[in-house]
Amino acid sequence: MRLKRFIAVGAVLTCSTLLWGCGNGTANNASQQQNDTVRSESWSDPKRLEASHLEALERMEKDHIHRMVSLSASTDGDKVITTLERSSQKLEEMRPLAEMLQHEGHPALLQRIQDMSGDIQSSKSVIAEMKNLPQDGKIKIQSENSDSLHHISSFRDYHQYIQGQVQSLDGKSTQMSH
């Protein structure tokens, strides 16, 4: 008797799992069709599509900058590099769409991606340079006085700020060696 009950419960569980799996697949297909519809509607207005992606890029940049300025480039250089690499990855994911939009006569997104990529590469170079300098006067990017960080809102600002820090440290180490 018990065996029959177990078999019955097992059969019910198996059926419901299969049904749930099928239902889930159907839901996924429906959402996929919806996404395709949204995509095809968006393509009918490439200017709007470009604007929404430019906005998304700006949000991503602000978010990643916020993470970087809360670190010290000298002591947390690896974490900063990781954040910069994630930013590069996000840009590369958007590049194919930007190239398609450029063919449609909307080059702003691709231009923005190229500018940001250049600024990210510059930041990486500066941090690599920073690692090679003596660490006597540790450069705290986030210090007691974080007012100087409030103007940093883009990868370019970040790169220029770090470059200034490296030059001041480089100047100090040159003076020390005389």
Side-chain angles (χ1 to χ4, degrees):
M1 189 66 188
R2 258 191 192 158
L3 186 63
K4 282 183 183 170
R5 192 177 292 158
F6 281 130
I7 291 170
V9 170
V12 168
L13 284 173
T14 307
C15 288
S16 59
T17 307
L18 287 170
L19 284 172
W20 184 84
C22 295
N24 205 17
T26 312
N28 282 344
N29 289 343
S31 67
Q32 187 61 45
Q33 284 168 349
Q34 198 176 356
N35 284 345
D36 291 344
T37 310
V38 168
R39 249 184 237 127
S40 58
E41 281 172 11
S42 300
W43 273 112
S44 64
D45 190 358
K47 192 76 189 156
R48 205 160 106 202
L49 187 64
E50 183 183 59
S52 70
H53 279 79
L54 282 167
E55 203 176 294
L57 262 192
E58 198 153 315
R59 278 198 307 273
M60 179 272 284
E61 184 177 31
K62 282 191 167 65
D63 177 47
H64 287 204
I65 288 293
H66 177 74
R67 285 181 216 177
M68 287 192 293
V69 297
S70 67
L71 298 168
S72 156
S74 61
T75 55
D76 303 316
D78 292 340
K79 287 182 188 172
V80 173
I81 291 288
T82 302
T83 305
L84 287 167
E85 280 168 356
R86 279 201 193 114
S87 305
S88 289
Q89 193 181 341
K90 293 275 181 202
L91 293 180
E92 288 313 306
E93 284 169 11
M94 220 178 269
R95 193 180 288 269
L97 172 71
E99 286 168 354
M100 283 194 281
L101 282 168
Q102 186 187 33
H103 288 304
E104 296 276 320
H106 300 278
L109 183 62
L110 187 61
Q111 187 57 57
R112 183 86 174 100
I113 287 172
Q114 285 167 339
D115 292 345
M116 286 169 88
S117 293
D119 296 331
I120 287 169
Q121 278 311 117
S122 302
S123 293
K124 282 185 186 176
S125 305
V126 177
I127 289 165
E129 195 182 324
M130 185 181 273
K131 283 183 171 180
N132 296 329
L133 291 170
Q135 295 293 310
D136 304 335
K138 275 190 181 170
I139 316 151
K140 283 296 277 179
I141 299 306
Q142 178 79 341
S143 61
E144 294 294 315
N145 175 17
S146 60
D147 293 346
S148 56
L149 300 170
H150 290 167
H151 72 280
I152 296 177
S153 60
S154 70
F155 293 123
R156 180 159 295 169
D157 289 344
Y158 184 80
H159 157 58
Q160 288 168 347
Y161 182 81
I162 303 276
Q163 184 72 63
Q165 298 295 310
V166 168
Q167 284 166 349
S168 68
L169 182 69
D170 205 8
K172 283 179 199 165
S173 62
T174 319
Q175 286 169 1
M176 284 177 196
S177 59
H178 284 301

